[in-house]
Amino acid sequence: MTTSKDELNVFLLEQSNVRGVHVRMDEAWSQVLQRRDYPAGVRQWLGQALAAVTLMTATLKFDGKLSLQVQGDGDINLMVAQATADGGVRATVEWEREPHMSATPLEAFGERARLSLIISQAAGEDYQGVVELSGDNLGDSLAGYFKQSEQLLTRFWLASDGNRNAGMLLQRLPDEEDQEGWSRAEVLGGTLFSEELMATDGKTLIRRLFHEEDVRLHDPREIAFKCGCSREKCGAMVVGLGSEDARELLIESGGEINVDCEFCGSRYSFDGIDLEALLRGDMGDGSENGTLQ
Ligand SMILES: [Zn+2]
């Protein structure tokens, strides 16, 4: 048995001009799974989404949070996976029924499903891109997005089970005329099996797969489960209902409004005194959330 750290490795196949990213997040994944009992047919999508969004943080320049969100009308209604630039990850999913294990994205999320990638910057404007659901898995859909919107050839390998979650991304860097390097890297990546991807630590896997290539390996980045929820944010949500509705909710819920975080399970409770303090605090600053009746 090997014990592994949760980490992300970025590497460059120098001769081939291909960028690679590998992530392994067993401990962070087990913390995501602790929250609820996910059936395997749901869990596999959450694992794919969380590994993919974490891999993508290494291909983008940003200092905030990257979210992968699928909203649909199929077996799974809503899935959100997020990774921050400093390696924090979290994810949650709501489902109607467990999709078949071999379901395609369109079958699992429905014909009208919408996959969005949202970059929330610590400072500056948010960016949102819409990804068309296609192929056999989320990696195929995301590869299609990179090709269409960025003209970048990209491949994803994603694998997870009840204990392990891992992924690898290869991306051909721009300004490269020679197609051969990319084809070679893609073929080498294609020899990777899910079990090998889940069971091997990043450095070993990268060296093994690309031992004939000129590999430049960057320092690993630590990955950890981190939830950005707070009492302040949940309080703002309550205030967002508007004072009438918030007071009504307080009565309906027996004198205490409980807000549960979908990502980490933390509960934030607000009694009547808390609520009035919240409403007073937010009424004065021009906050326009909610409607007053
Ligand atoms: Zn939370």
Side-chain angles (χ1 to χ4, degrees):
M1 291 290 282
T2 51
T3 49
S4 78
K5 285 196 294 263
D6 283 6
E7 59 180 32
L8 179 126
N9 280 285
V10 179
F11 58 98
L12 188 68
L13 307 179
E14 286 187 297
Q15 284 160 337
S16 306
N17 206 31
V18 169
R19 166 165 56 197
V21 191
H22 176 275
V23 73
R24 203 170 161 190
M25 47 166 84
D26 299 354
E27 177 54 34
W29 181 230
S30 78
Q31 281 181 262
V32 169
L33 297 182
Q34 257 173 31
R35 164 96 178 83
R36 246 195 284 175
D37 200 6
Y38 296 108
V42 171
R43 189 187 64 209
Q44 65 166 349
W45 292 102
L46 195 62
Q48 281 183 32
L50 189 58
V53 78
T54 311
L55 290 170
M56 282 187 285
T57 59
T59 70
L60 299 164
K61 273 206 164 60
F62 74 113
D63 61 355
K65 180 171 70 187
L66 178 66
S67 307
L68 188 165
Q69 184 172 316
V70 193
Q71 262 174 302
D73 55 348
D75 295 341
I76 300 177
N77 328 102
L78 177 70
M79 178 171 75
V80 185
Q82 295 178 329
T84 58
D86 62 359
V89 297
R90 63 176 191 169
T92 186
V93 58
E94 298 293 333
W95 68 97
E96 206 65 50
R97 290 167 297 275
E98 179 184 4
H100 198 268
M101 282 305 282
S102 58
T104 64
L106 280 174
E107 286 163 355
F109 296 95
E111 295 287 332
R112 285 204 294 271
R114 185 187 157 96
L115 197 174
S116 328
L117 287 175
I118 305 141
I119 300 176
S120 317
Q121 298 275 22
E125 299 235 323
D126 290 359
Y127 165 85
Q128 181 164 338
V130 176
V131 181
E132 196 184 323
L133 285 178
S134 60
D136 292 334
N137 53 52
L138 279 186
D140 290 349
S141 304
L142 293 166
Y145 171 80
F146 274 110
K147 193 172 176 193
Q148 266 189 352
S149 71
E150 317 276 327
Q151 279 79 50
L152 288 173
L153 290 175
T154 310
R155 279 282 304 270
F156 286 84
W157 288 265
L158 307 166
S160 68
D161 62 16
N163 302 309
R164 304 167 298 176
N165 195 25
M168 185 177 80
L169 169 157
L170 293 179
Q171 189 165 66
R172 185 178 156 200
L173 293 172
D175 307 323
E176 169 64 16
E177 295 298 314
D178 165 34
Q179 171 76 27
E180 223 175 83
W182 168 251
S183 306
R184 201 168 55 236
E186 225 187 347
V187 167
L188 291 170
T191 63
L192 185 59
F193 290 100
S194 295
E195 180 54 36
E196 186 184 13
L197 181 56
M198 288 188 287
T200 322
D201 74 87
K203 268 185 208 122
T204 310
L205 189 78
I206 293 160
R207 295 226 166 86
R208 190 190 293 164
L209 274 178
F210 304 108
H211 66 272
E212 284 177 3
E213 298 278 318
D214 223 349
V215 181
R216 183 145 58 93
L217 199 59
H218 295 263
D219 288 338
R221 188 189 300 169
E222 206 176 304
I223 299 296
F225 179 86
K226 237 179 259 168
C227 194
C229 68
S230 68
R231 188 169 173 82
E232 288 66 34
K233 286 180 190 169
C234 291
M237 257 172 62
V238 174
V239 170
L241 297 173
S243 56
E244 290 287 326
D245 287 357
R247 287 186 182 121
E248 200 168 307
L249 179 63
L250 182 78
I251 295 165
E252 280 167 13
S253 21
E256 191 173 71
I257 298 174
N258 291 310
V259 183
D260 294 326
C261 174
E262 290 301 320
F263 291 96
C264 70
S266 296
R267 167 166 284 197
Y268 301 93
S269 301
F270 303 92
D271 64 14
I273 294 168
D274 296 331
L275 178 62
E276 291 310 316
L278 278 177
L279 291 173
R280 272 199 311 277
D282 266 78
M283 292 296 121
D285 68 2
S287 164
E288 307 222 359
N289 291 324
T291 45
L292 297 173
Q293 311 225 318

